[in-house]
Amino acid sequence: MDRITLPERPDWREKARAVGFGFHEMYGEPYWVDDAAYTFSLAEIEDEIEAPSEALHELCMDLVAEVAESPALLSRMAIPEARHALIRDSWHAGDRHLYGRFDLAYDGLGHAKLLEYNADTPTSIFEAAFFQYNWMVDQTELGALPEGCDQFNMLQESLVEAFATFPPDRILHFSCWMANDEDRGTCTYLMDCAVQAGHEVDMLDIQAIGVDAQGRFVDTHERTIDRCFKLYPWEDMLREPFAQYLRPGVFIEPAWKSVLSNKAILPLLWERHEGHPNLLPAYFANDPRAERLADAVIKPVFSREGENVVLRRRGETVEESEGDYGDEPRVAQAYAPLFARAGMHAVLGSWMIGDRAAGLGMREDGSRITRNLSRFVPHVIVP
């Protein structure tokens, strides 16, 4: 594993705009990095990223099967008691899931370590599946990359296959907060994959979803929403006034994914698989063992974009982020150093499509806490 620099494509911004990648800059800062790449050997991809990701996913699915049956564990994960039956019924119904992203710490030397599982509303799928592949093709044609380079990237074809497992017997709605460029771009890309899989689709703002007299969700045309991909977190949906109308089989990701998108899985996984090479010691913050982690990362169970995260080294706080999750339950996870080059710290995003590891996306940040200003950097497998 290494980080290399190379000339950026002279027309990459025009290419980004042409394919709807308007969020290549966000918050006034560059998001896409065109003049650098992370390099891997094929063995690193297959043995240290792909295979461990699938093994971790199996552990996670076993955990859902246990948690869904346990009111005590659901409560421990801060899932509202009134929604416990929804989680259980969604799991029993076998509600299909679509995708998720493991965030891993890996430096090319030891085992990849699970930091968290973005199993509900992960973004960066468009840039991982589509734009970084085009980057590799262009850079190879320009001579900046040697012939024979490849990527761990089966994402687009895997997404189309995954959408094809959902029967095309009704409109497949897509919903997000449309004012957010990244969320809208992510939904637009996934909607295109669904069209390739044979679905009739429609998109609407998450705030425009209504409820009819029969308690069914409806769109702005008063059509029943029978199946909907939503880029809106389950932890929020479960607490909305409309939560009483939620039922299995409607939303993608399914309600049982609320278990896996919860950072409380970290201590629960460690409790069940202590010593696993791809897990880090982790405990609930009120567990006395959490205080004995000299080097630790303290995270709210529902934190997003690296908000309200505390990095502690030798018992002292060395880095801390602000945010909106300060009042939530927390977990403490042993600190794992990220791959660092050129003053940047890299997190590996290993994508699961269905139950299969299907691709890699790299994000880097000047901070050791990956936040909303992190940058996406393409990767290549070098021959």
Side-chain angles (χ1 to χ4, degrees):
M1 180 182 181
D2 200 2
R3 186 186 191 275
I4 62 171
T5 58
L6 65 172
E8 69 175 31
R9 296 170 293 169
D11 58 348
W12 75 264
R13 291 173 180 83
E14 291 76 14
K15 289 186 173 183
R17 286 191 288 268
V19 296
F21 189 15
F23 53 98
H24 62 79
E25 291 185 358
M26 291 194 292
Y27 313 104
E29 298 288 338
Y31 169 61
W32 171 266
V33 176
D34 209 76
D35 61 355
Y38 285 91
T39 62
F40 297 86
S41 69
L42 180 60
E44 285 177 317
I45 293 293
E46 291 181 341
D47 299 337
E48 302 298 339
I49 299 171
E50 182 179 12
S53 295
E54 293 188 349
L56 286 169
H57 179 72
E58 289 183 11
L59 298 185
C60 287
M61 296 295 279
D62 288 343
L63 184 63
V64 178
E66 178 184 353
V67 171
E69 303 293 342
S70 171
L73 288 175
L74 288 166
S75 295
R76 199 176 186 191
M77 302 186 83
I79 293 173
E81 184 177 356
R83 308 279 86 86
H84 288 187
L86 172 66
I87 310 304
R88 183 185 65 248
D89 293 347
S90 173
W91 178 252
H92 286 174
D95 284 353
R96 290 181 176 89
H97 63 117
L98 181 66
Y99 76 144
R101 189 191 73 226
F102 285 113
D103 281 355
L104 306 173
Y106 178 67
D107 60 5
L109 300 175
H111 295 292
K113 300 293 186 179
L114 173 64
L115 302 178
E116 59 186 71
Y117 195 3
N118 296 280
D120 180 23
T121 59
T123 53
S124 79
I125 186 66
F126 167 79
E127 45 271 42
F130 184 81
F131 204 69
Q132 74 165 337
Y133 176 78
N134 289 358
W135 171 90
M136 183 186 69
V137 171
D138 288 347
Q139 293 287 32
T140 301
E141 291 178 351
L142 290 168
L145 290 174
E147 294 289 339
C149 282
D150 200 357
Q151 279 180 350
F152 179 32
N153 191 352
M154 303 175 290
L155 290 169
Q156 182 150 319
E157 57 266 42
S158 298
L159 283 166
V160 174
E161 291 174 5
F163 274 117
T165 66
F166 294 88
D169 56 352
R170 62 202 71 183
I171 296 174
L172 177 51
H173 286 86
F174 285 76
S175 188
C176 66
W177 183 36
M178 300 282 279
N180 183 288
D181 289 342
E182 184 180 18
D183 287 4
R184 188 177 67 253
T186 298
C187 260
T188 299
Y189 172 68
L190 292 171
M191 190 165 63
D192 181 69
C193 291
V195 170
Q196 293 181 53
H199 289 278
E200 180 184 355
V201 300
D202 196 10
M203 191 183 328
L204 75 163
D205 195 290
I206 192 76
Q207 300 174 88
I209 294 178
V211 179
D212 68 11
Q214 287 75 47
R216 300 171 301 183
F217 293 108
V218 293
D219 64 16
T220 54
H221 302 289
E222 296 299 320
R223 296 176 301 188
T224 303
I225 296 176
D226 297 308
R227 186 172 293 127
C228 179
F229 173 88
K230 51 89 196 160
L231 203 64
Y232 188 67
W234 267 112
E235 64 263 24
D236 294 334
M237 289 184 68
L238 295 176
R239 291 164 172 79
E240 291 280 8
F242 60 70
Q244 61 182 308
Y245 302 110
L246 293 168
R247 64 183 190 276
V250 177
F251 288 102
I252 308 167
E253 298 297 321
W256 59 261
K257 271 289 192 83
S258 63
V259 172
L260 296 186
S261 63
N262 187 316
K263 293 178 184 62
I265 68 168
L266 300 173
L268 295 180
L269 286 170
W270 183 252
E271 188 177 90
R272 286 149 183 78
H273 308 283
E274 183 174 342
H276 190 285
N278 300 116
L279 295 175
L280 291 164
Y283 307 98
F284 289 95
N286 58 2
D287 187 320
R289 292 172 293 181
E291 291 299 320
R292 295 199 286 270
L293 293 174
D295 295 343
V297 181
I298 317 301
K299 312 175 185 181
V301 295
F302 297 129
S303 172
R304 292 172 181 267
E305 305 285 7
E307 292 189 11
N308 300 103
V309 173
V310 177
L311 174 59
R312 192 174 67 202
R313 302 297 302 275
R314 300 178 180 86
E316 300 292 329
T317 297
V318 297
E319 201 164 344
E320 187 171 2
S321 61
E322 298 180 348
D324 299 325
Y325 300 90
D327 297 330
E328 291 182 2
R330 297 179 174 232
V331 299
Q333 183 183 49
Y335 171 72
L338 304 178
F339 181 90
R341 285 288 190 281
M344 305 302 288
H345 304 271
V347 168
L348 282 75
S350 180
W351 288 94
M352 298 295 302
I353 308 299
D355 300 311
R356 180 176 69 179
L360 177 65
M362 301 293 301
R363 290 173 301 137
E364 63 179 20
D365 201 297
S367 166
R368 285 169 292 188
I369 300 173
T370 305
R371 312 189 202 196
N372 60 347
L373 292 180
S374 65
R375 310 190 305 170
F376 190 99
V377 184
H379 80 277
V380 290
I381 302 171
V382 292

